[in-house]
Amino acid sequence: MDESFKTILILLSGMVVILAVFLLIAGNIYPDGVEMLGITPESSYSYEVSVTSSDTLYNVTLFLPLPSDLGYSAVGYGILNGSGYGIPANMATDIFGEGESLFLKATLPETDGLKFGINVDNKVLLDTIDPILNSYVIRPVMDLQSGESTDTYKTYIYASYDASPGAVVTIDISEEGKNTWKVFSEKTNYFDEHVSLSLTKSPDKWEKADVSLSKENGDYSVLF
């Protein structure tokens, strides 16, 4: 065998080994391996509000906690810009608050219940391992109890309305932050959280609501 051909084979073999080692290492380093391998993930937030009532509500004013980070809420401003779904024609919206506590102000003359929300694309990989630290999560975050896979905390909701005595009103808010990418197969990881508040009369004040946040769900191996 020609010596130059042997040299080429050795070099090619060495390059294949180096590439294999690189893929093995980068493919198991999350999240840095995503950038190292030049993968462009699809990342997004979804946010949905559901208000149910056993009777018609009148003169409704709600301040609903928004996913936010560093004083900005892509979800909130997306709703204001008309990118949401299910927004009733008779509902006026605005953003209330500042800093780490932003709320969607929703006012309606009357409603028997509503469900609306929004899906928002994100340009960079979401932190689904410690979302409270680095991602858009529902804030304010109070009385935080951190766990391995679930965090619990309190947040605020304001509700004011007129209704018949004994009317039961439930406010549910859910959010999901998700990353998806595909190389050899599709990979997904995500966090999701849920807020719920049940009322038997209009509080006309800020109420504490329980939040449950499930984190670090899905795939954290980049390739394999």
Side-chain angles (χ1 to χ4, degrees):
M1 183 181 291
D2 186 84
E3 288 298 323
S4 60
F5 185 66
K6 285 184 179 180
T7 302
I8 293 173
L9 283 178
I10 292 170
L11 290 173
L12 288 175
S13 299
M15 291 173 63
V16 169
V17 171
I18 292 170
L19 178 60
V21 171
F22 174 73
L23 288 174
L24 183 63
I25 294 173
N28 286 282
I29 299 175
Y30 184 91
D32 295 338
V34 174
E35 183 176 352
M36 290 168 64
L37 295 170
I39 298 170
T40 302
E42 294 181 1
S43 300
S44 63
Y45 292 96
S46 62
Y47 174 81
E48 187 170 85
V49 175
S50 175
V51 179
T52 59
S53 175
S54 61
D55 200 357
T56 302
L57 306 179
Y58 300 93
N59 304 317
V60 179
T61 299
L62 303 171
F63 288 86
L64 304 165
L66 287 166
S68 62
D69 185 43
L70 301 176
Y72 180 75
S73 174
V75 161
Y77 286 104
I79 291 174
L80 258 61
N81 292 334
S83 299
Y85 60 85
I87 309 294
N90 66 343
M91 187 172 83
T93 57
D94 201 356
I95 300 292
F96 173 82
E98 61 184 12
E100 287 300 312
S101 301
L102 296 179
F103 297 84
L104 180 71
K105 180 183 179 182
T107 56
L108 303 93
E110 67 176 271
T111 183
D112 294 319
L114 63 153
K115 180 180 284 188
F116 67 91
I118 189 171
N119 299 307
V120 178
D121 292 333
N122 199 67
K123 294 182 178 179
V124 298
L125 191 75
L126 307 184
D127 185 349
T128 61
I129 296 175
D130 192 358
I132 288 179
L133 185 64
N134 295 310
S135 295
Y136 290 104
V137 299
I138 292 171
R139 303 182 192 274
V141 175
M142 302 177 296
D143 305 328
L144 175 64
Q145 299 292 321
S146 296
E148 284 190 13
S149 59
T150 303
D151 295 339
T152 59
Y153 61 94
K154 304 283 188 181
T155 195
Y156 276 122
I157 293 176
Y158 177 92
S160 175
Y161 52 84
D162 297 324
S164 61
V168 178
V169 177
T170 302
I171 301 171
D172 290 299
I173 304 172
S174 60
E175 186 211 8
E176 181 184 70
K178 182 171 68 174
N179 301 306
T180 302
W181 66 96
K182 186 173 183 179
V183 183
F184 300 125
S185 61
E186 186 170 280
K187 301 281 189 177
T188 298
N189 60 50
Y190 65 96
F191 73 86
D192 57 49
E193 58 182 334
H194 182 253
V195 187
S196 185
L197 180 66
S198 184
L199 305 166
T200 54
K201 64 178 181 179
S202 173
D204 297 326
K205 63 183 179 69
W206 294 96
E207 292 280 337
K208 277 188 175 182
D210 294 321
V211 186
S212 177
L213 189 157
S214 175
K215 60 188 180 181
E216 201 168 349
N217 300 296
D219 302 304
Y220 291 92
S221 173
V222 180
L223 292 180
F224 310 105

